Amino acid sequence: MTDLIYEKMERERCDYENEQSELVSTIDVLKLEVDKANQHMHELSQEQADVTSQLQSRQAELTAQDEENAELDSKIKTAIHKQRQIKAGQKEAAMTIAKLQTEVDSLKFQLDEAVSQRQQFEILAAEARQSSPYTAAAVARPPPIHPASYGLSAAKQHSMVGSGSTHST
């Protein structure tokens, strides 16, 4: 019986040693797997840090781009405002030019009338000198037409000439 007990104890001791050996082997395998997992976790943490750094860098770039876009938007709005002011100025200048052109045309017409009347007066004065018994010095000569009288009617101009030409010798 003792032998059986020894045998059983020997088997149990061998089984225990085998179990211990298997457990040590399993623990070593698990330690290797934990080390690999820790290494992988460290690599993932490093990647996450890199990605976070890249995201922060990109965010800074986008913020700078947003500021640049806001500045460009402001410049564009200013340019559009100036362009509208220039267009309004051009319209006003065109209207002023049209008014001035109308005024110039009117003055040209008045000048043409005045020149025509003067020529008629000179013709009348020349006829009067030829048919008059008075000397040429006594014949009234029409005064030069003053620019202030361009807008006057022919009757007013004639009355001005008539009042200025009364010479007697």
Side-chain angles (χ1 to χ4, degrees), residues 44-103:
L44 289 175
S45 294
Q46 186 61 39
E47 277 185 49
Q48 182 180 12
D50 291 346
V51 167
T52 300
S53 174
Q54 289 174 353
L55 285 174
Q56 288 174 343
S57 174
R58 184 67 181 139
Q59 183 66 35
E61 289 174 11
L62 289 174
T63 300
Q65 185 67 41
D66 286 345
E67 290 172 1
E68 187 177 324
N69 286 348
E71 186 178 322
L72 288 173
D73 187 47
S74 175
K75 287 180 181 179
I76 288 170
K77 287 178 181 176
T78 301
I80 289 172
H81 180 71
K82 285 182 181 178
Q83 183 182 25
R84 287 181 181 156
Q85 285 179 329
I86 288 170
K87 284 184 180 180
Q90 287 173 336
K91 285 180 182 177
E92 187 177 325
M95 289 173 38
T96 301
I97 288 171
K99 287 178 184 176
L100 289 174
Q101 187 62 45
T102 302
E103 200 171 317

Side-chain angles (χ1 to χ4, degrees), residues 11-166:
R11 260 186 290 152
E12 283 180 13
R13 190 181 62 75
C14 278
D15 286 343
Y16 176 76
E17 285 178 1
N18 284 339
E19 281 180 27
Q20 284 291 326
S21 177
E22 283 180 29
L23 284 172
V24 167
S25 178
T26 302
I27 288 172
D28 287 343
V29 168
L30 287 175
K31 281 183 180 179
L32 284 173
E33 286 183 25
V34 166
D35 286 344
K36 284 181 184 178
N38 281 338
Q39 179 64 30
H40 188 63
M41 181 82 113
H42 177 70
E43 290 171 0
L44 289 175
S45 294
Q46 186 61 39
E47 277 185 49
Q48 182 180 12
D50 291 346
V51 167
T52 300
S53 174
Q54 289 174 353
L55 285 174
Q56 288 174 343
S57 174
R58 184 67 181 139
Q59 183 66 35
E61 289 174 11
L62 289 174
T63 300
Q65 185 67 41
D66 286 345
E67 290 172 1
E68 187 177 324
N69 286 348
E71 186 178 322
L72 288 173
D73 187 47
S74 175
K75 287 180 181 179
I76 288 170
K77 287 178 181 176
T78 301
I80 289 172
H81 180 71
K82 285 182 181 178
Q83 183 182 25
R84 287 181 181 156
Q85 285 179 329
I86 288 170
K87 284 184 180 180
Q90 287 173 336
K91 285 180 182 177
E92 187 177 325
M95 289 173 38
T96 301
I97 288 171
K99 287 178 184 176
L100 289 174
Q101 187 62 45
T102 302
E103 200 171 317
V104 165
D105 290 344
S106 172
L107 290 174
K108 279 183 183 178
F109 177 75
Q110 291 176 9
L111 179 62
D112 290 343
E113 278 188 13
V115 167
S116 173
Q117 287 178 357
R118 181 177 181 139
Q119 289 172 346
Q120 289 175 357
F121 289 143
E122 287 177 350
I123 291 171
L124 289 174
E127 288 175 359
R129 275 193 299 265
Q130 288 177 358
S131 65
S132 171
Y134 301 107
T135 63
V139 175
R141 199 180 152 159
I145 297 176
H146 190 273
S149 66
Y150 286 165
L152 299 178
S153 68
K156 280 192 175 185
Q157 287 180 3
H158 183 68
S159 68
M160 285 175 59
V161 171
S163 66
S165 65
T166 54

